[in-house]
Amino acid sequence: MANIGGFSKEEEEWIKQQREREAQRQKRSAGRGEDEDNSVNINSLMDIMVIILVFLLDSYGEDPLRVQDDDLKVPSSASELEPADTLTIAIHRSSILVNDSTVIELQEGEVDPSHFSGDGEMLIDPLLDSVSDAVSDEREQAELTGDDFEPEATVIADQSTRHRLILEVLYTATEAELSQFRFAVIMGTRETFGGFEPAGVES
Amino acid sequence: MARKEMDNDIDHPEEPDLAPFMNLVIILIPMLLLSVVFIEIAVINVTMPLGGEATEDEETEEELDLSIALSTEGFIVTAVGSQIEPIEGCPTQGPTICLKDQDVDVDQKFSDAREQLLTGSSSEGEDLLEQGLQAYDFRELYNMLVGFKEDFPEETTFRLLADPDMPFALSVRTMDVARHRLEEDSFDEDEAFWRASYAEDTDDEGEQIYENLFPDPAFAVGQ
């Protein structure tokens, strides 16, 4: 055999041996791989799945307010104040709920006149009872935990709710010793309120 | 050789069958993904003052006593004890700031929107509601509020009144417009107004905040 690139015979032999050994090793490792391919290793997939599941369960439990439903969509606003964990009064298109329990069914977006009492027909009786119970529960909880009781509520009202109904609900809540209210809104941008595309979005 | 035999002798424990658990996880993930609502929620703080609590007026100081009433014809603004005259271009007997297009029947739009929403046609209902809101001249309202703020820089509250059938979305948008001052004090065009950023200010601790206009709305009972 001709002398390749100036190697001595011993060196050529050594290179040949090395190449053969390498080829054998590759053959062996390929054979092992074939055996392992018979069962798919799903461990890493499982890890990812479990992490995603924990993350989703965590974010599912975190959301304190439900602002969209079949008969509820709160309006958009440019407000940036963060919601707090308080008593909630939700005014859906067909019902009023206190802490997610239905208190009154609405008829075409209005409270049935039989539910009113008091001067000026602003006080909704069943709502007053329900909010008063919720307030006393919260007060007891605050006493047990040693916290100060904050007389506040978050009002989650549908965007089409009549102004009069909002007033009736707020008035009733003030009768149940609540004095501070927060309206839940979906965060939006000013441009969209004027009917324009947000900056950076091309139509 | 001896080691190979020993390896064969050891009973390897059977791997747990993870298939049922995997099935459960694969079902749970799409279900949770569907239920996650990717929207950001904020709140607007409001108060509801009740009658009977008379405040001690300082005779020497004039108060703004600002109130904005939402009607089907536009905004009726009251300040310093009297209703503000209609602005230029609005009917003399009408509200302070009339609708941009006075031919639009916003009452009908809101009523139709409610009907559509109650029958389950959400997108049609929301479109009608938005059309009604777009008829209001929020730009002129802002221009007027900035003028009041110039005269009463310490004032932050205003009363929000409305016709009984006005939708909640209109109240929220009015509160939005009245909350912060923008880069400019007066706007001639709607697009420039809605695209303007908030003017910035520094608080007592030196932190950057938005400059306030009338950020403390009070829902008032009565017309």
Side-chain angles (χ1 to χ4, degrees):
Chain A
M1 191 178 270
N3 204 346
I4 308 165
F7 287 113
S8 68
K9 243 186 178 157
E10 289 84 29
E11 282 171 333
E12 276 179 33
E13 281 302 316
W14 184 80
I15 290 168
K16 269 185 192 171
Q17 279 174 6
Q18 289 296 317
R19 281 181 184 161
E20 275 170 21
R21 207 175 290 169
E22 183 64 25
Q24 276 178 356
R25 196 187 303 152
Q26 279 179 0
K27 219 174 179 178
R28 272 204 304 273
S29 62
R32 264 205 308 274
E34 267 174 27
D35 288 347
E36 281 175 4
D37 277 350
N38 288 338
S39 66
V40 182
N41 189 350
I42 56 164
N43 282 348
S44 46
L45 181 68
M46 279 287 293
D47 292 347
I48 295 167
M49 289 287 195
V50 169
I51 290 166
I52 293 174
L53 186 66
V54 170
F55 168 77
L56 286 173
L57 281 171
D58 185 47
S59 64
Y60 186 77
E62 250 179 27
D63 189 8
L65 303 173
R66 200 171 180 82
V67 293
Q68 249 177 330
D69 212 333
D70 290 341
D71 67 343
L72 170 75
K73 187 179 179 190
V74 302
S76 298
S77 164
S79 174
E80 293 175 1
L81 291 175
E82 287 186 9
D85 190 12
T86 66
L87 186 157
T88 60
I89 303 173
I91 310 173
H92 291 209
R93 285 170 211 145
S94 58
S95 56
I96 298 178
L97 301 88
V98 174
N99 283 343
D100 295 332
S101 305
T102 306
V103 177
I104 302 171
E105 295 292 338
L106 298 174
Q107 291 169 349
E108 294 185 356
E110 290 182 83
V111 177
D112 190 276
S114 64
H115 291 312
F116 286 105
S117 77
D119 51 337
E121 291 188 349
M122 290 284 285
L123 198 65
I124 308 168
D125 273 338
L127 182 63
L128 178 63
D129 295 341
S130 186
V131 174
S132 300
D133 289 346
V135 167
S136 51
D137 284 351
E138 297 245 331
R139 185 171 275 137
E140 273 175 31
Q141 269 184 21
E143 276 173 20
L144 286 171
T145 55
D147 297 329
D148 288 334
F149 170 69
E150 301 285 346
E152 59 187 18
T154 304
V155 178
I156 308 164
D158 181 70
Q159 56 187 346
S160 66
T161 310
R162 287 182 171 86
H163 184 75
R164 182 173 172 83
L165 181 58
I166 299 271
L167 283 183
E168 287 163 354
V169 169
L170 292 186
Y171 180 79
T172 305
T174 53
E175 291 294 301
E177 297 178 46
L178 294 173
S179 58
Q180 293 160 34
F181 301 97
R182 298 158 193 261
F183 285 128
V185 288
I186 294 173
M187 231 186 253
T189 56
R190 293 189 75 255
E191 291 101 324
T192 54
F193 302 156
F196 303 102
E197 291 285 336
V201 176
E202 287 180 22
S203 54
Chain B
M1 196 68 176
R3 188 173 171 178
K4 208 171 182 183
E5 278 171 11
M6 211 165 71
D7 277 356
N8 288 338
D9 290 344
I10 296 169
D11 283 335
H12 289 290
E14 273 188 31
E15 279 188 27
D17 184 11
L18 292 173
F21 179 65
M22 276 294 288
N23 290 342
L24 184 71
V25 169
I26 285 169
I27 292 165
L28 272 175
I29 286 177
M31 198 193 80
L32 288 169
L33 273 175
L34 282 176
S35 68
V36 170
V37 185
F38 294 101
I39 47 173
E40 283 188 277
I41 305 167
V43 291
I44 300 173
N45 289 340
V46 294
T47 52
M48 176 129 181
L50 293 173
E53 286 180 30
T55 52
E56 285 179 30
D57 292 334
E58 288 183 29
E59 287 173 15
T60 51
E61 242 180 75
E62 192 179 36
E63 284 192 355
L64 175 61
D65 195 21
L66 175 67
S67 72
I68 303 170
L70 315 174
S71 80
T72 51
E73 294 172 345
F75 301 109
I76 302 165
V77 182
T78 310
V80 203
S82 61
Q83 186 177 322
I84 308 297
E85 292 293 310
I87 59 168
E88 201 181 318
C90 288
T92 48
Q93 298 299 315
T96 312
I97 299 166
C98 54
L99 299 178
K100 281 190 281 191
D101 181 357
Q102 291 168 55
D103 294 332
V104 178
D105 186 352
V106 289
D107 199 21
Q108 189 62 45
K109 292 256 184 222
F110 293 147
S111 167
D112 290 347
R114 265 188 209 104
E115 207 169 291
Q116 293 284 347
L117 289 169
L118 280 170
T119 52
S121 310
S122 292
S123 58
E124 287 90 346
E126 284 176 26
D127 284 348
L128 283 165
L129 189 66
E130 191 58 39
Q131 284 170 25
L133 297 183
Q134 292 296 334
Y136 285 83
D137 201 342
F138 293 101
R139 178 178 58 82
E140 287 292 357
L141 177 67
Y142 170 80
N143 292 347
M144 183 172 280
L145 293 180
V146 171
F148 292 137
K149 190 71 179 177
E150 292 287 322
D151 297 337
F152 298 89
E154 299 301 317
E155 198 69 64
T156 60
T157 60
F158 75 97
R159 263 176 296 134
L160 187 70
L161 302 111
D163 287 352
D165 287 341
M166 291 291 100
F168 178 52
L170 180 61
S171 307
V172 168
R173 195 154 298 178
T174 307
M175 291 188 278
D176 272 357
V177 169
R179 187 175 304 118
H180 295 302
R181 204 164 182 152
L182 300 173
E183 294 163 322
E184 289 175 38
D185 290 345
S186 181
F187 291 89
D188 296 325
E189 285 179 15
D190 273 0
E191 184 161 2
F193 166 65
W194 287 114
R195 288 196 186 282
S197 305
Y198 293 129
E200 290 193 345
D201 200 0
T202 46
D203 65 5
D204 298 338
E205 291 162 4
E207 283 188 27
Q208 289 279 320
I209 52 162
Y210 295 135
E211 197 174 332
N212 282 335
L213 200 56
F214 297 99
D216 302 320
F219 268 54
V221 179
Q223 301 296 313

